[in-house]
Amino acid sequence: MRQPLVAGNWKLNGSLASTKELLAGIKSGLAEVVNAEVVVCPPYVFIPEVQAQLAGSSIAWGGQNLSAEAGGAFTGEISASMLLDFGCKYVLVGHSERRMLYGEDNALVAKKFVVAKKSGLIPILCVGETLEERQQGITEDVVAAQLAAVIDQGGIAALDGAVIAYEPVWAIGTGMTASPEQAQTVHAYIRSQLAQHDGAVASGMRILYGGSMKPENAVELLTQSDIDGGLIGGAALKAEGFLSICKAAN
Ligand code: PGA
């Protein structure tokens, strides 16, 4: 049985005050969420506050990104060990905004993934196609290449215990959600790709859907057999909406 996981990706949003308020709201509604694992990924600077508020709770937290480097002259970067220092359990790797806006290619994403995994963080590998790629009929090729880069660098063992998030780029922040059938098809494809290397890794892999998931569409997505949770952007910024998605996953 794969434990459902709902992760909130706060992106570049919030203030210290709004972070405190959001955390208090999430904590107050969490008693009903006993089966699903809940994770929040705040901006780096709010991680100490998140740690102070969530330590000892059932909610885990993580970074939105990490450096592929362990340390040294890399201005503006944050390493895996720094995230671990502040209690992070997870880290997003290869979010489409990092890939598209900050030039992270498959090789760099794979390097970050392997560094995160080796350090003891649980990487959440984001994969997904653009609208153009979907229209060209190459969704599976794109996702296969994103997975293959990680397997080439780290071996299938690097994926053992990690998490994958399928996030069609055209659905992120657009209000356009993949239909449950569209999402399920790609999730099953991802699992089949992993199964070519290792059946146990494939069947244990938690594959999250991300891209305009919200309370209104969470149930129909989360009841698909290969969808094991959600990576939530906009809807994770309000406690009530985020909690109702957590309850749907529960
Ligand atoms: P969204 O973002 O829920 O706002 O579409 C999801 C994500 O980018 O992880």
Side-chain angles (χ1 to χ4, degrees):
M1 263 297 280
R2 299 184 291 267
Q3 186 188 20
L5 190 161
V6 179
N9 173 13
W10 296 358
K11 307 192 182 184
L12 179 57
N13 290 297
S15 61
L16 186 54
S18 73
T19 294
K20 287 179 200 275
E21 193 185 318
L22 180 53
L23 290 170
I26 296 172
K27 271 161 70 178
S28 72
L30 216 71
E32 290 168 60
V33 184
V34 286
N35 295 317
E37 186 175 6
V38 178
V39 178
V40 294
C41 298
Y44 291 137
V45 291
F46 301 139
I47 291 176
E49 176 64 23
V50 168
Q51 180 180 31
Q53 288 221 28
L54 297 185
S57 80
S58 62
I59 310 174
W61 56 95
Q64 297 176 12
N65 183 26
L66 82 163
S67 176
E69 307 298 334
F74 301 102
T75 302
E77 294 288 273
I78 296 285
S79 70
S81 69
M82 292 173 187
L83 294 175
L84 287 163
D85 245 353
F86 286 88
C88 288
K89 180 174 176 189
Y90 288 90
V91 64
L92 303 181
V93 179
H95 188 280
S96 66
E97 286 148 19
R98 300 299 318 169
R99 293 178 187 266
M100 298 183 65
L101 304 174
Y102 297 95
E104 296 194 11
D105 61 11
N106 279 346
L108 177 60
V109 170
K111 190 172 175 197
K112 290 184 173 196
F113 183 99
V114 172
V115 164
K117 189 72 182 352
K118 279 197 180 136
S119 76
L121 289 163
I122 300 175
I124 301 176
L125 174 69
C126 304
V127 299
E129 81 290 0
T130 62
L131 185 56
E132 204 181 17
E133 288 162 343
R134 174 162 284 266
Q135 285 166 345
Q136 285 169 10
I138 56 169
T139 295
E140 292 186 350
D141 300 336
V142 169
V143 170
Q146 291 168 334
L147 292 174
V150 172
I151 297 170
D152 286 350
Q153 273 197 42
I156 189 68
L159 279 148
D160 192 12
V163 176
I164 293 173
Y166 168 59
E167 298 205 303
V169 178
W170 48 272
I172 295 177
T174 58
M176 266 166 72
T177 315
S179 70
E181 297 72 28
Q182 282 174 323
Q184 166 59 27
T185 301
V186 181
H187 281 232
Y189 175 75
I190 290 170
R191 210 178 295 287
S192 75
Q193 288 295 105
L194 299 175
Q196 288 183 7
H197 298 270
D198 188 315
V201 169
S203 63
M205 178 62 68
R206 291 187 288 177
I207 308 177
L208 317 181
Y209 170 79
S212 299
M213 193 189 271
K214 44 190 179 254
E216 299 78 49
N217 59 27
V219 172
E220 56 176 17
L221 286 160
L222 292 168
T223 46
Q224 300 297 312
S225 57
D226 286 292
I227 300 185
D228 306 308
L231 180 55
I232 321 298
L237 297 173
K238 291 265 182 299
E240 201 188 339
F242 185 62
L243 281 166
S244 76
I245 297 171
C246 294
K247 285 171 198 161
N250 195 50

